[in-house]
mmCIF file of all heavy atoms in Angstrom:
data_model
loop_
_atom_site.group_PDB
_atom_site.id
_atom_site.type_symbol
_atom_site.label_atom_id
_atom_site.label_comp_id
_atom_site.label_asym_id
_atom_site.label_seq_id
_atom_site.Cartn_x
_atom_site.Cartn_y
_atom_site.Cartn_z
ATOM 1 N N ASP K 98 -96.535 -78.536 -75.775
ATOM 2 C CA ASP K 98 -97.252 -78.034 -76.952
ATOM 3 C C ASP K 98 -98.229 -76.954 -76.510
ATOM 4 O O ASP K 98 -99.234 -77.234 -75.842
ATOM 5 C CB ASP K 98 -97.996 -79.188 -77.630
ATOM 6 C CG ASP K 98 -98.710 -78.736 -78.886
ATOM 7 O OD1 ASP K 98 -98.334 -77.688 -79.434
ATOM 8 O OD2 ASP K 98 -99.652 -79.421 -79.311
ATOM 9 N N SER K 99 -97.936 -75.715 -76.862
ATOM 10 C CA SER K 99 -98.747 -74.587 -76.395
ATOM 11 C C SER K 99 -100.187 -74.683 -76.870
ATOM 12 O O SER K 99 -101.127 -74.415 -76.103
ATOM 13 C CB SER K 99 -98.128 -73.272 -76.888
ATOM 14 O OG SER K 99 -96.787 -73.172 -76.479
ATOM 15 N N ALA K 100 -100.381 -75.043 -78.128
ATOM 16 C CA ALA K 100 -101.740 -75.106 -78.674
ATOM 17 C C ALA K 100 -102.596 -76.114 -77.910
ATOM 18 O O ALA K 100 -103.752 -75.845 -77.570
ATOM 19 C CB ALA K 100 -101.688 -75.461 -80.152
ATOM 20 N N SER K 101 -102.039 -77.283 -77.608
ATOM 21 C CA SER K 101 -102.798 -78.306 -76.895
ATOM 22 C C SER K 101 -103.121 -77.869 -75.476
ATOM 23 O O SER K 101 -104.240 -78.069 -74.987
ATOM 24 C CB SER K 101 -102.002 -79.620 -76.863
ATOM 25 O OG SER K 101 -101.772 -80.092 -78.166
ATOM 26 N N VAL K 102 -102.139 -77.260 -74.797
ATOM 27 C CA VAL K 102 -102.360 -76.827 -73.414
ATOM 28 C C VAL K 102 -103.453 -75.772 -73.346
ATOM 29 O O VAL K 102 -104.393 -75.866 -72.544
ATOM 30 C CB VAL K 102 -101.054 -76.295 -72.803
ATOM 31 C CG1 VAL K 102 -101.313 -75.629 -71.452
ATOM 32 C CG2 VAL K 102 -100.047 -77.422 -72.629
ATOM 33 N N PHE K 103 -103.354 -74.745 -74.193
ATOM 34 C CA PHE K 103 -104.351 -73.683 -74.178
ATOM 35 C C PHE K 103 -105.732 -74.219 -74.562
ATOM 36 O O PHE K 103 -106.746 -73.812 -73.981
ATOM 37 C CB PHE K 103 -103.939 -72.563 -75.129
ATOM 38 C CG PHE K 103 -102.978 -71.581 -74.519
ATOM 39 C CD1 PHE K 103 -101.652 -71.912 -74.327
ATOM 40 C CD2 PHE K 103 -103.405 -70.326 -74.119
ATOM 41 C CE1 PHE K 103 -100.766 -71.012 -73.761
ATOM 42 C CE2 PHE K 103 -102.530 -69.420 -73.546
ATOM 43 C CZ PHE K 103 -101.201 -69.767 -73.373
ATOM 44 N N ALA K 104 -105.777 -75.113 -75.534
ATOM 45 C CA ALA K 104 -107.065 -75.655 -75.967
ATOM 46 C C ALA K 104 -107.716 -76.477 -74.865
ATOM 47 O O ALA K 104 -108.911 -76.348 -74.600
ATOM 48 C CB ALA K 104 -106.876 -76.501 -77.218
ATOM 49 N N LEU K 105 -106.952 -77.323 -74.206
ATOM 50 C CA LEU K 105 -107.508 -78.170 -73.153
ATOM 51 C C LEU K 105 -107.963 -77.353 -71.951
ATOM 52 O O LEU K 105 -109.043 -77.572 -71.393
ATOM 53 C CB LEU K 105 -106.469 -79.208 -72.714
ATOM 54 C CG LEU K 105 -106.171 -80.329 -73.710
ATOM 55 C CD1 LEU K 105 -105.018 -81.186 -73.216
ATOM 56 C CD2 LEU K 105 -107.395 -81.191 -73.930
ATOM 57 N N LEU K 106 -107.144 -76.390 -71.552
ATOM 58 C CA LEU K 106 -107.466 -75.624 -70.349
ATOM 59 C C LEU K 106 -108.651 -74.698 -70.555
ATOM 60 O O LEU K 106 -109.421 -74.457 -69.620
ATOM 61 C CB LEU K 106 -106.245 -74.808 -69.909
ATOM 62 C CG LEU K 106 -105.033 -75.610 -69.427
ATOM 63 C CD1 LEU K 106 -103.909 -74.669 -69.025
ATOM 64 C CD2 LEU K 106 -105.401 -76.500 -68.249
ATOM 65 N N ARG K 107 -108.821 -74.175 -71.765
ATOM 66 C CA ARG K 107 -109.849 -73.160 -71.981
ATOM 67 C C ARG K 107 -111.125 -73.698 -72.618
ATOM 68 O O ARG K 107 -112.131 -73.010 -72.623
ATOM 69 C CB ARG K 107 -109.285 -72.019 -72.841
ATOM 70 C CG ARG K 107 -108.175 -71.266 -72.130
ATOM 71 C CD ARG K 107 -107.674 -70.100 -72.951
ATOM 72 N NE ARG K 107 -106.658 -69.368 -72.206
ATOM 73 C CZ ARG K 107 -106.908 -68.374 -71.360
ATOM 74 N NH1 ARG K 107 -108.143 -68.009 -71.159
ATOM 75 N NH2 ARG K 107 -105.935 -67.766 -70.719
ATOM 76 N N SER K 108 -111.085 -74.903 -73.149
ATOM 77 C CA SER K 108 -112.281 -75.414 -73.828
ATOM 78 C C SER K 108 -112.979 -76.520 -73.058
ATOM 79 O O SER K 108 -114.159 -76.774 -73.287
ATOM 80 C CB SER K 108 -111.908 -75.938 -75.225
ATOM 81 O OG SER K 108 -111.019 -77.041 -75.113
ATOM 82 N N LYS K 109 -112.300 -77.177 -72.150
ATOM 83 C CA LYS K 109 -112.892 -78.285 -71.414
ATOM 84 C C LYS K 109 -113.532 -77.864 -70.096
ATOM 85 O O LYS K 109 -114.084 -78.698 -69.388
ATOM 86 C CB LYS K 109 -111.821 -79.363 -71.141
ATOM 87 C CG LYS K 109 -111.166 -79.921 -72.393
ATOM 88 C CD LYS K 109 -112.181 -80.534 -73.338
ATOM 89 C CE LYS K 109 -111.497 -81.105 -74.578
ATOM 90 N NZ LYS K 109 -112.474 -81.689 -75.533
ATOM 91 N N GLY K 110 -113.408 -76.594 -69.739
ATOM 92 C CA GLY K 110 -114.017 -76.119 -68.503
ATOM 93 C C GLY K 110 -113.399 -76.718 -67.259
ATOM 94 O O GLY K 110 -114.110 -77.010 -66.289
ATOM 95 N N LEU K 111 -112.094 -76.920 -67.270
ATOM 96 C CA LEU K 111 -111.419 -77.525 -66.129
ATOM 97 C C LEU K 111 -111.325 -76.522 -64.981
ATOM 98 O O LEU K 111 -110.829 -75.416 -65.150
ATOM 99 C CB LEU K 111 -110.014 -77.987 -66.530
ATOM 100 C CG LEU K 111 -109.948 -79.026 -67.659
ATOM 101 C CD1 LEU K 111 -108.508 -79.349 -67.996
ATOM 102 C CD2 LEU K 111 -110.697 -80.288 -67.267
ATOM 103 N N ALA K 112 -111.793 -76.922 -63.816
ATOM 104 C CA ALA K 112 -111.741 -76.051 -62.634
ATOM 105 C C ALA K 112 -110.478 -76.383 -61.840
ATOM 106 O O ALA K 112 -110.502 -77.155 -60.881
ATOM 107 C CB ALA K 112 -112.988 -76.249 -61.784
ATOM 108 N N LEU K 113 -109.353 -75.807 -62.255
ATOM 109 C CA LEU K 113 -108.081 -76.069 -61.596
ATOM 110 C C LEU K 113 -107.870 -75.084 -60.450
ATOM 111 O O LEU K 113 -108.197 -73.901 -60.561
ATOM 112 C CB LEU K 113 -106.934 -75.954 -62.609
ATOM 113 C CG LEU K 113 -107.022 -76.903 -63.806
ATOM 114 C CD1 LEU K 113 -105.850 -76.674 -64.753
ATOM 115 C CD2 LEU K 113 -107.057 -78.353 -63.349
ATOM 116 N N LYS K 114 -107.298 -75.561 -59.359
ATOM 117 C CA LYS K 114 -107.092 -74.740 -58.179
ATOM 118 C C LYS K 114 -105.639 -74.295 -58.082
ATOM 119 O O LYS K 114 -104.788 -74.711 -58.866
ATOM 120 C CB LYS K 114 -107.488 -75.529 -56.921
ATOM 121 C CG LYS K 114 -108.942 -75.985 -56.903
ATOM 122 C CD LYS K 114 -109.254 -76.761 -55.644
ATOM 123 C CE LYS K 114 -110.711 -77.232 -55.618
ATOM 124 N NZ LYS K 114 -111.022 -78.008 -54.396
ATOM 125 N N GLU K 115 -105.377 -73.437 -57.097
ATOM 126 C CA GLU K 115 -104.020 -72.985 -56.762
ATOM 127 C C GLU K 115 -103.317 -72.326 -57.950
ATOM 128 O O GLU K 115 -102.118 -72.542 -58.168
ATOM 129 C CB GLU K 115 -103.173 -74.167 -56.242
ATOM 130 C CG GLU K 115 -103.752 -74.864 -55.033
ATOM 131 C CD GLU K 115 -103.801 -73.959 -53.807
ATOM 132 O OE1 GLU K 115 -102.990 -73.013 -53.748
ATOM 133 O OE2 GLU K 115 -104.633 -74.208 -52.928
ATOM 134 N N ASN K 116 -104.030 -71.541 -58.750
ATOM 135 C CA ASN K 116 -103.437 -70.839 -59.896
ATOM 136 C C ASN K 116 -102.728 -71.786 -60.865
ATOM 137 O O ASN K 116 -101.738 -71.422 -61.503
ATOM 138 C CB ASN K 116 -102.431 -69.776 -59.416
ATOM 139 C CG ASN K 116 -103.112 -68.621 -58.726
ATOM 140 O OD1 ASN K 116 -104.188 -68.189 -59.132
ATOM 141 N ND2 ASN K 116 -102.483 -68.108 -57.678
ATOM 142 N N LEU K 117 -103.242 -73.009 -60.970
ATOM 143 C CA LEU K 117 -102.577 -73.995 -61.816
ATOM 144 C C LEU K 117 -102.737 -73.672 -63.294
ATOM 145 O O LEU K 117 -101.812 -73.884 -64.081
ATOM 146 C CB LEU K 117 -103.141 -75.392 -61.522
ATOM 147 C CG LEU K 117 -102.424 -76.576 -62.187
ATOM 148 C CD1 LEU K 117 -100.945 -76.568 -61.829
ATOM 149 C CD2 LEU K 117 -103.070 -77.892 -61.784
ATOM 150 N N ARG K 118 -103.902 -73.141 -63.681
ATOM 151 C CA ARG K 118 -104.117 -72.839 -65.099
ATOM 152 C C ARG K 118 -103.171 -71.758 -65.612
ATOM 153 O O ARG K 118 -102.501 -71.956 -66.631
ATOM 154 C CB ARG K 118 -105.571 -72.441 -65.349
ATOM 155 C CG ARG K 118 -105.931 -72.438 -66.835
ATOM 156 C CD ARG K 118 -107.329 -71.952 -67.082
ATOM 157 N NE ARG K 118 -107.399 -70.501 -67.130
ATOM 158 C CZ ARG K 118 -108.468 -69.829 -67.534
ATOM 159 N NH1 ARG K 118 -109.555 -70.474 -67.897
ATOM 160 N NH2 ARG K 118 -108.462 -68.509 -67.543
ATOM 161 N N PRO K 119 -103.060 -70.583 -64.958
ATOM 162 C CA PRO K 119 -102.088 -69.593 -65.457
ATOM 163 C C PRO K 119 -100.651 -70.087 -65.382
ATOM 164 O O PRO K 119 -99.832 -69.706 -66.218
ATOM 165 C CB PRO K 119 -102.311 -68.380 -64.541
ATOM 166 C CG PRO K 119 -103.022 -68.897 -63.350
ATOM 167 C CD PRO K 119 -103.846 -70.054 -63.829
ATOM 168 N N LEU K 120 -100.340 -70.959 -64.415
ATOM 169 C CA LEU K 120 -98.990 -71.510 -64.333
ATOM 170 C C LEU K 120 -98.683 -72.373 -65.548
ATOM 171 O O LEU K 120 -97.613 -72.241 -66.172
ATOM 172 C CB LEU K 120 -98.840 -72.336 -63.055
ATOM 173 C CG LEU K 120 -97.518 -73.099 -62.881
ATOM 174 C CD1 LEU K 120 -96.353 -72.121 -62.827
ATOM 175 C CD2 LEU K 120 -97.557 -73.965 -61.636
ATOM 176 N N LEU K 121 -99.614 -73.241 -65.925
ATOM 177 C CA LEU K 121 -99.408 -74.102 -67.095
ATOM 178 C C LEU K 121 -99.359 -73.290 -68.385
ATOM 179 O O LEU K 121 -98.577 -73.599 -69.291
ATOM 180 C CB LEU K 121 -100.519 -75.151 -67.172
ATOM 181 C CG LEU K 121 -100.548 -76.189 -66.048
ATOM 182 C CD1 LEU K 121 -101.773 -77.084 -66.184
ATOM 183 C CD2 LEU K 121 -99.266 -77.028 -66.062
ATOM 184 N N GLU K 122 -100.188 -72.254 -68.469
ATOM 185 C CA GLU K 122 -100.190 -71.422 -69.669
ATOM 186 C C GLU K 122 -98.883 -70.636 -69.790
ATOM 187 O O GLU K 122 -98.331 -70.507 -70.887
ATOM 188 C CB GLU K 122 -101.384 -70.478 -69.634
ATOM 189 C CG GLU K 122 -102.715 -71.181 -69.806
ATOM 190 C CD GLU K 122 -103.894 -70.230 -69.722
ATOM 191 O OE1 GLU K 122 -103.691 -69.070 -69.307
ATOM 192 O OE2 GLU K 122 -105.007 -70.647 -70.080
ATOM 193 N N LEU K 123 -98.398 -70.093 -68.680
ATOM 194 C CA LEU K 123 -97.133 -69.358 -68.708
ATOM 195 C C LEU K 123 -95.982 -70.269 -69.086
ATOM 196 O O LEU K 123 -95.124 -69.902 -69.899
ATOM 197 C CB LEU K 123 -96.878 -68.716 -67.346
ATOM 198 C CG LEU K 123 -95.549 -67.965 -67.192
ATOM 199 C CD1 LEU K 123 -95.476 -66.790 -68.161
ATOM 200 C CD2 LEU K 123 -95.354 -67.492 -65.755
ATOM 201 N N GLU K 124 -95.954 -71.467 -68.532
ATOM 202 C CA GLU K 124 -94.876 -72.409 -68.840
ATOM 203 C C GLU K 124 -94.911 -72.840 -70.295
ATOM 204 O O GLU K 124 -93.881 -72.867 -70.973
ATOM 205 C CB GLU K 124 -94.989 -73.616 -67.914
ATOM 206 C CG GLU K 124 -93.827 -74.593 -68.010
ATOM 207 C CD GLU K 124 -93.981 -75.618 -69.121
ATOM 208 O OE1 GLU K 124 -95.131 -75.856 -69.550
ATOM 209 O OE2 GLU K 124 -92.965 -76.178 -69.563
ATOM 210 N N SER K 125 -96.104 -73.166 -70.799
ATOM 211 C CA SER K 125 -96.197 -73.653 -72.177
ATOM 212 C C SER K 125 -95.924 -72.550 -73.190
ATOM 213 O O SER K 125 -95.495 -72.817 -74.314
ATOM 214 C CB SER K 125 -97.596 -74.243 -72.432
ATOM 215 O OG SER K 125 -98.588 -73.247 -72.300
ATOM 216 N N GLY K 126 -96.149 -71.289 -72.799
ATOM 217 C CA GLY K 126 -95.913 -70.186 -73.720
ATOM 218 C C GLY K 126 -94.484 -69.672 -73.714
ATOM 219 O O GLY K 126 -94.132 -68.839 -74.555
ATOM 220 N N SER K 127 -93.652 -70.171 -72.778
ATOM 221 C CA SER K 127 -92.294 -69.630 -72.661
ATOM 222 C C SER K 127 -91.209 -70.693 -72.588
ATOM 223 O O SER K 127 -90.063 -70.370 -72.250
ATOM 224 C CB SER K 127 -92.204 -68.742 -71.404
ATOM 225 O OG SER K 127 -92.545 -69.481 -70.246
ATOM 226 N N ASN K 128 -91.533 -71.947 -72.909
ATOM 227 C CA ASN K 128 -90.522 -73.001 -72.755
ATOM 228 C C ASN K 128 -89.780 -73.338 -74.043
ATOM 229 O O ASN K 128 -88.842 -74.147 -74.028
ATOM 230 C CB ASN K 128 -91.160 -74.284 -72.189
ATOM 231 C CG ASN K 128 -92.272 -74.810 -73.085
ATOM 232 O OD1 ASN K 128 -92.441 -74.382 -74.220
ATOM 233 N ND2 ASN K 128 -93.049 -75.735 -72.559
ATOM 234 N N ASP K 129 -90.181 -72.727 -75.162
ATOM 235 C CA ASP K 129 -89.509 -73.038 -76.429
ATOM 236 C C ASP K 129 -88.029 -72.651 -76.450
ATOM 237 O O ASP K 129 -87.216 -73.392 -77.014
ATOM 238 C CB ASP K 129 -90.240 -72.358 -77.597
ATOM 239 C CG ASP K 129 -91.576 -73.025 -77.894
ATOM 240 O OD1 ASP K 129 -91.644 -74.266 -77.808
ATOM 241 O OD2 ASP K 129 -92.545 -72.317 -78.187
#
Side-chain angles (χ1 to χ4, degrees):
D98 182 21
S99 304
S101 299
V102 171
F103 276 75
L105 289 173
L106 294 180
R107 295 183 177 272
S108 64
K109 302 302 181 181
L111 300 178
L113 301 179
K114 300 180 180 179
E115 302 295 335
N116 291 322
L117 188 56
R118 194 184 84 169
L120 174 62
L121 294 175
E122 291 178 348
L123 177 62
E124 187 275 338
S125 63
S127 58
N128 59 12
D129 288 322

